Amino acid sequence: MTREEKSQVIEDLTAELANNANIYLTDISGLNAGTTSDLRRAAFKANVKMAVVKNTLLEKAMEASDREFGELPTVLKGNTSVMYSETGNVPAKLIKTFRKKSEKPLLKGAFIEEAVYIGDEQLDMLVDIKSKEELIGEIVTLLQSPAKNVISALKSGGGTIAGIIKTLSEKEG
């Protein structure tokens, strides 16, 4: 690979790092061609972009990035594949599901919404991370509950202030 080609790869990787808030580094070494193909197919179906990268070039891309990757560059040893996803927990779920029939991929580390996770033992925690959409849904549900109580009190309180206060105080007790 020429110096110009390496520079182009680093530039492309730096752009990918900038455009993705959720980045997983995995080890898929030892998977045969068929299993690797199955993993790529599963990743595609889950809307996870996957690419094998050269560690030195990825490390240079991380250095060139505006983001702080913390200890993540320290896991760049051996075979490294990168998974990019719009949703933080989707690659973790993909890995966990895939490992029911294969011992790999192993999670080396992840960068999820500015937080760094190191090591395969983090996989279960990453599976449980809620996406922004899931959190917003839960917050909206929590906020709707008191509003529903007030509306219900308005309807059952007969429209008078005293009736509404009485109905709301009964609901609290």
Side-chain angles (χ1 to χ4, degrees):
M1 185 179 280
T2 67
R3 182 174 288 161
E4 291 79 23
E5 291 170 330
K6 286 180 182 178
S7 292
Q8 185 60 50
V9 170
I10 293 168
E11 194 175 305
D12 294 345
L13 282 170
T14 304
E16 285 288 353
L17 295 175
N19 293 331
N20 290 282
N22 305 298
I23 303 160
Y24 281 68
L25 302 180
T26 63
D27 176 3
I28 63 170
S29 64
L31 295 181
N32 64 33
T35 309
T36 302
S37 180
D38 291 345
L39 177 60
R40 288 185 178 279
R41 196 173 299 109
F44 180 78
K45 286 180 183 174
N47 201 25
V48 173
K49 185 177 178 184
M50 189 174 143
V52 175
V53 295
K54 190 167 171 105
N55 291 330
T56 54
L57 299 181
L58 180 56
E59 188 171 3
K60 287 181 181 183
M62 286 178 167
E63 290 169 6
S65 170
D66 292 339
R67 293 191 167 156
E68 180 52 52
F69 289 101
E71 295 179 39
L72 207 54
T74 64
V75 303
L76 295 175
K77 294 171 179 69
N79 182 302
T80 303
S81 294
V82 183
M83 292 182 174
Y84 304 103
S85 173
E86 289 182 24
T87 307
N89 63 1
V90 171
K93 289 179 179 178
L94 171 70
I95 291 168
K96 191 159 180 133
T97 301
F98 201 79
R99 289 215 323 226
K100 290 178 182 173
K101 55 187 170 197
S102 175
E103 61 191 40
K104 298 236 174 139
L106 293 176
L107 176 67
K108 292 175 148 191
F111 179 85
I112 313 295
E113 302 285 339
E114 305 295 325
V116 175
Y117 302 86
I118 303 291
D120 195 61
E121 63 278 357
Q122 303 291 325
L123 187 61
D124 287 333
M125 185 176 60
L126 291 171
V127 166
D128 294 336
I129 285 180
K130 294 190 183 298
S131 69
K132 284 182 185 176
E133 292 76 18
E134 290 169 322
L135 286 174
I136 289 170
E138 286 181 9
I139 291 169
V140 168
T141 301
L142 290 170
L143 292 173
Q144 284 177 341
S145 180
K148 287 178 183 172
N149 290 342
V150 171
I151 291 168
S152 145
L154 287 170
K155 288 180 181 174
S156 66
T160 66
I161 297 292
I164 293 168
I165 292 172
K166 180 178 182 236
T167 304
L168 283 175
S169 64
E170 289 171 358
K171 285 191 176 197
E172 284 182 18

